[in-house]
Amino acid sequence: MLAPPAIHAKELTPVTESDEIDFGAPQRDKTKKTESSQPNLIVRSLQQMEIQRDWISKGYVKMWRGLDNYFSDGASYESENHSELRLELKQTWAAEGDIGSDAKLRVRVDLPNTEHKLKLFFSSDEDSDAEERVRSVSKGERIEKDNSVSGLEFFPDDKERKWKRKFSGGVRLRSSLVPYVKFRIKREWGEEDGEGWYRQFRQQVEYFDDDERWSESTEFTMSRPFGEVYIFNAWVEAEYKDPLNVFEFANVYTLTRILSERSALHYRIGGIGASQPVPRLNGVFYGLSWQFQLYEDWVFLGLSPEVFYPREENWGAEPTITANLEIFFAE
């Protein structure tokens, strides 16, 4: 097995986020196939699925590219369109026999040629708390209209600006539409050559016109590569929820080992807490997450054993193992 090339910390997505999967190595060239290689049953099945997947992806991106050209009066300044569909399936097995499963759908609509980088979006997994974002276990989520949001995102800043702002607004798709607005500001610091520390700060404020009202979250991430295959990451978040008048916080430390161009292993330890009834730690956990690029650049598999120690159970151990499958539909 060839050793993977040197990697940059800022190219890797923290394990607390799952918007993208990037192991720091270039994707394999899809055109390089030896004549003597014979695909097995699983690969042949995936190749047949790929035909349908490519048809859906091309039709989906073509639809939004046409709308983008309409808004830009037919002047196509950018040929790339990053619209995508992402389906995530997750299942967790607990030691006591309980089984939980999730199904999430994220729809991203990109209109890159509009005047101010306007994007439409739809998401079925907008509701989450600090614990859900740092732990890998299933929460019984389903693709339901009541938990989905849709709206517009506006990016006023160019690439040269250090502080990047994002304004968004839309509706939560419940029986009666719930309007909401959101503002986010983000800044990144890091060495261009990837040898030093990479840091990211993010502040977000949002308002839903229902019982949830105001909420605010602050995140800070630090990461640094070590040697050719290791990356250390420290992540901390504090989130305020208005209806409960409570701050929730989480802190996670991760050591990532790049196993190959297609797989990586994340060793994690962390804790979660809250400010009510008194500021305290409510649980700690440790575990690992193995991520594997199952097929080309659109099917990803994950496996995450974890042990959680909640305060409410007198710090008793709760071992689980979670399997995760992600399928991307994009150009």
Side-chain angles (χ1 to χ4, degrees):
M1 180 182 296
L2 296 177
I7 48 181
H8 295 176
K10 69 179 298 182
E11 295 176 354
L12 286 171
T13 302
V15 297
T16 55
E17 299 178 355
S18 60
D19 286 348
E20 296 179 1
I21 298 179
D22 182 1
F23 301 136
Q27 302 291 340
R28 294 178 182 270
D29 188 345
K30 301 178 185 179
T31 62
K32 293 181 179 180
K33 296 181 180 179
T34 59
E35 295 181 358
S36 58
S37 62
Q38 296 294 329
N40 57 33
L41 178 60
I42 296 178
V43 174
R44 288 199 302 269
S45 300
L46 288 170
Q47 287 174 344
Q48 293 297 318
M49 291 173 56
E50 185 176 21
I51 298 174
Q52 299 299 320
R53 178 260 179 188
D54 289 346
W55 179 79
I56 295 173
S57 299
K58 290 179 180 178
Y60 176 73
V61 174
K62 182 179 179 180
M63 176 179 63
W64 296 115
R65 180 177 286 125
L67 182 62
D68 186 29
N69 290 335
Y70 174 78
F71 281 146
S72 58
D73 296 327
S76 180
Y77 304 105
E78 293 187 22
S79 59
E80 291 189 3
N81 189 291
H82 300 291
S83 299
E84 73 170 22
L85 297 168
R86 189 184 76 190
L87 176 64
E88 180 181 2
L89 304 175
K90 182 188 295 185
Q91 185 149 327
T92 296
W93 295 268
E96 60 271 17
D98 294 339
I99 298 178
S101 59
D102 292 349
K104 299 181 181 180
L105 176 67
R106 183 180 293 274
V107 179
R108 182 64 57 177
V109 178
D110 187 18
L111 305 177
N113 293 319
T114 53
E115 184 177 359
H116 294 294
K117 302 295 184 182
L118 187 68
K119 293 185 179 181
L120 297 169
F121 72 92
F122 168 84
S123 176
S124 70
D125 60 345
E126 198 68 15
D127 288 332
S128 63
D129 55 28
E131 180 179 349
E132 291 179 43
R133 287 192 288 274
V134 300
R135 297 189 61 209
S136 59
V137 297
S138 302
K139 295 293 183 178
E141 297 183 22
R142 294 292 182 270
I143 302 173
E144 298 176 350
K145 185 183 71 172
D146 286 356
N147 295 326
S148 303
V149 297
S150 182
L152 293 172
E153 294 177 342
F154 171 60
F155 302 83
D157 302 318
D158 55 29
K159 295 180 180 180
E160 287 70 30
R161 185 181 174 91
K162 293 182 178 179
W163 291 91
K164 301 291 195 305
R165 297 167 296 169
K166 182 177 78 171
F167 300 87
S168 59
V171 293
R172 176 173 285 159
L173 306 178
R174 294 185 172 173
S175 55
S176 59
L177 299 180
V178 178
Y180 83 94
V181 291
K182 182 186 299 184
F183 170 73
R184 189 189 75 183
I185 187 167
K186 181 177 72 172
R187 178 168 179 176
E188 299 175 350
W189 300 264
E191 299 292 338
E192 294 297 331
D193 56 11
E195 296 180 355
W197 285 96
Y198 165 70
R199 299 171 297 279
Q200 181 187 97
F201 171 83
R202 183 167 67 175
Q203 183 86 30
Q204 179 173 287
V205 180
E206 62 182 6
Y207 174 82
F208 282 88
D209 191 21
D210 60 3
D211 294 338
E212 291 191 14
R213 314 300 287 177
W214 293 98
S215 65
E216 179 275 338
S217 65
T218 302
E219 293 182 26
F220 184 71
T221 302
M222 296 177 58
S223 59
R224 181 188 177 101
F226 293 93
E228 295 291 318
V229 296
Y230 289 99
I231 293 177
F232 172 77
N233 179 279
W235 179 86
V236 61
E237 180 191 37
E239 180 180 29
Y240 174 75
K241 294 186 176 181
D242 184 34
L244 303 176
N245 191 27
V246 62
F247 276 94
E248 296 178 346
F249 56 86
N251 193 2
V252 181
Y253 298 94
T254 305
L255 181 64
T256 297
R257 187 180 191 279
I258 309 301
L259 302 177
S260 69
E261 291 183 351
R262 301 177 62 187
S263 63
L265 194 60
H266 309 281
Y267 303 90
R268 303 181 299 132
I269 184 171
I272 57 175
S275 62
Q276 297 289 351
V278 294
R280 66 184 189 182
L281 189 66
N282 290 331
V284 295
F285 67 91
Y286 68 88
L288 61 87
S289 296
W290 172 71
Q291 292 176 308
F292 181 70
Q293 183 179 323
L294 184 62
Y295 186 71
E296 295 190 351
D297 61 350
W298 60 278
V299 183
F300 295 86
L301 178 66
L303 196 62
S304 303
E306 178 185 287
V307 181
F308 182 57
Y309 299 88
R311 173 186 288 272
E312 61 185 14
E313 298 297 333
N314 198 26
W315 305 104
E318 295 183 353
T320 59
I321 185 169
T322 300
N324 185 71
L325 179 68
E326 288 186 294
I327 303 175
F328 290 81
F329 299 85
E331 280 191 339

